[in-house]
Amino acid sequence: MLAAYAAKFDPENPVAALEVGERPEPEARDGWVTIDVKASALNHHDLWSLKGVGLAEANLPMILGCDAAGVDPDGNEVVVHAVVSDPEWRGDETLDPKRSLLSERYDGTLAEKVSVPARNVVPKPAGLSFEQAACLPTAWLTAYRMLFTQSDLKPGDTVLVQGAGGGVATSLITLARAAGIRVWATSRDEAKRAKALEIGAHDVFESGARLPERVDAVMETVGQATWSHSLKSLKQGGTLVISGATSGQAPKSAELNRIFFLQLRVQGSTMGTRTELAELVQFMANAGISPHIDTVLPLADAREGFAKMNAGDVFGKIVFTV
């Protein structure tokens, strides 16, 4: 079957480590199902995998990808949940020490077929295309958990979304607006700030700009480059939720004095649960919202999509069709 996979690592030029070609179809496992993939979406996780982060060399070659929508063996249209927990684990699977994501220990979704535990599929919402539904399991699920599980935000509060443009950031803007939260967003790029307004931000600012007032929560995926601004933007008792660090993980200062004196809460957040994915699907159906797609490409042209993400020239999701 056709697949996009990592056969080696290249920390400096991850796209050079990508291979697009034939791989064996998934082998049957007890309790697992094989999904015929109709669409899959690209994430920064895939670029990091090509750099050798989170993926062991012993597991190469590895089919990349965490996101997919497709059809199960019974003909049902489904969305794939990417967090694979231990079969004995009960409760929030993101807290399972033995958990992994697809494309870390098990082949991922950038292929014609993917095999996952039967519990890792949820019904695809009828109102979303396969391309739209494929965007949900990583970026949109991550955003949903950040907003509604980890931040304590409520309608009427104000949230700052750092780095408008990426898949998680665009998801945060749309979900927060739909929930009655006032949304501010930042970006270095004027065009991305304009697009953030189009998809629901109430106001936008250049990265690092002084805000009109402090906010109840900051959604942080950029990391090192925006860390100080995020902390300075919070009200006393505010919450910074961080789910990624695309610009680096080592800010010049952790600013501990600010954190304890203002009683700020720094909350890590990783992916989401199957239950949260089902809630997200229903929320989007109820609110009449759909994912923002930057580019749709055939899987055979996966290298073009990876290069576009690596260059940072993205607003919304890059989706591959099979």
Side-chain angles (χ1 to χ4, degrees):
M1 65 176 183
L2 182 66
Y5 61 97
K8 60 182 179 180
F9 299 137
D10 191 329
E12 302 302 322
N13 183 13
V15 180
L18 177 69
E19 298 287 343
V20 181
E22 294 295 314
R23 294 295 301 155
E25 292 193 3
E27 296 181 1
R29 292 186 179 94
D30 289 341
W32 289 51
V33 294
T34 297
I35 306 300
D36 287 322
V37 176
K38 299 299 182 183
S40 54
L42 186 60
N43 293 285
H44 276 98
H45 181 271
D46 303 308
L47 281 175
W48 287 106
S49 295
L50 290 168
K51 294 179 180 181
V53 178
L55 176 59
E57 189 169 9
N59 290 338
L60 297 179
M62 175 64 72
I63 297 174
L64 301 172
C66 298
D67 295 348
V71 178
D72 73 9
D74 296 324
N76 300 305
E77 296 182 352
V78 298
V79 180
V80 172
H81 179 49
V83 181
V84 181
S85 57
D86 186 274
E88 302 302 318
W89 180 261
R90 298 295 179 267
D92 185 335
E93 58 266 34
T94 67
L95 299 177
D96 177 8
K98 297 180 181 179
R99 76 184 188 281
S100 68
L101 294 182
L102 292 174
S103 76
E104 291 179 348
R105 277 184 239 152
Y106 309 103
D107 278 327
T109 58
L110 299 187
E112 294 178 345
K113 297 178 183 291
V114 63
S115 183
V116 298
R119 64 183 183 274
N120 274 50
V121 295
V122 301
K124 181 181 82 67
L128 294 182
S129 67
F130 282 112
E131 291 85 353
Q132 291 171 325
C135 300
L136 302 183
T138 298
W140 282 76
L141 178 59
T142 296
Y144 182 90
R145 183 177 176 88
M146 292 173 76
L147 283 169
F148 304 123
T149 303
Q150 308 287 36
S151 74
D152 293 333
L153 282 165
K154 58 186 183 299
D157 286 345
T158 302
V159 65
L160 175 66
V161 178
Q162 294 281 24
V168 175
T170 54
S171 310
L172 285 163
I173 292 168
T174 302
L175 290 172
R177 177 68 184 244
I181 297 165
R182 182 168 64 163
V183 186
W184 291 348
T186 68
S187 177
R188 295 173 299 174
D189 186 280
E190 184 178 356
K192 289 183 179 180
R193 293 196 297 272
K195 288 183 178 179
L197 288 172
E198 290 178 15
I199 66 170
H202 292 87
D203 208 347
V204 292
F205 306 90
E206 291 188 20
S207 297
R210 185 181 181 91
L211 303 180
E213 61 186 76
R214 290 180 176 175
V215 301
D216 298 285
V218 177
M219 301 293 111
E220 176 66 83
T221 61
V222 179
Q224 184 173 312
T226 55
W227 182 257
S228 181
H229 183 255
S230 292
L231 291 175
K232 291 173 181 175
S233 298
L234 285 168
K235 293 178 179 178
Q236 290 198 17
T239 301
L240 190 158
V241 183
I242 180 167
S243 69
T246 56
S247 68
Q249 62 177 340
K252 291 181 180 179
S253 171
E255 302 195 40
L256 298 180
N257 286 350
R258 179 179 296 274
I259 292 172
F260 74 71
F261 187 73
L262 296 181
Q263 299 186 74
L264 305 180
R265 183 163 70 102
V266 177
Q267 174 67 55
S269 191
T270 297
M271 292 289 287
T273 66
R274 292 183 294 275
T275 299
E276 287 167 332
L277 180 58
E279 292 171 351
L280 165 66
V281 167
Q282 189 60 54
F283 178 81
M284 296 183 73
N286 293 346
I289 56 178
S290 57
H292 314 291
I293 296 178
D294 180 280
T295 306
V296 178
L297 296 165
L299 182 60
D301 295 337
R303 186 176 298 278
E304 180 181 340
F306 273 79
K308 186 176 177 68
M309 174 171 278
N310 193 47
D313 182 25
V314 178
F315 192 91
K317 297 294 291 178
I318 295 173
V319 177
F320 302 123
T321 56
V322 178

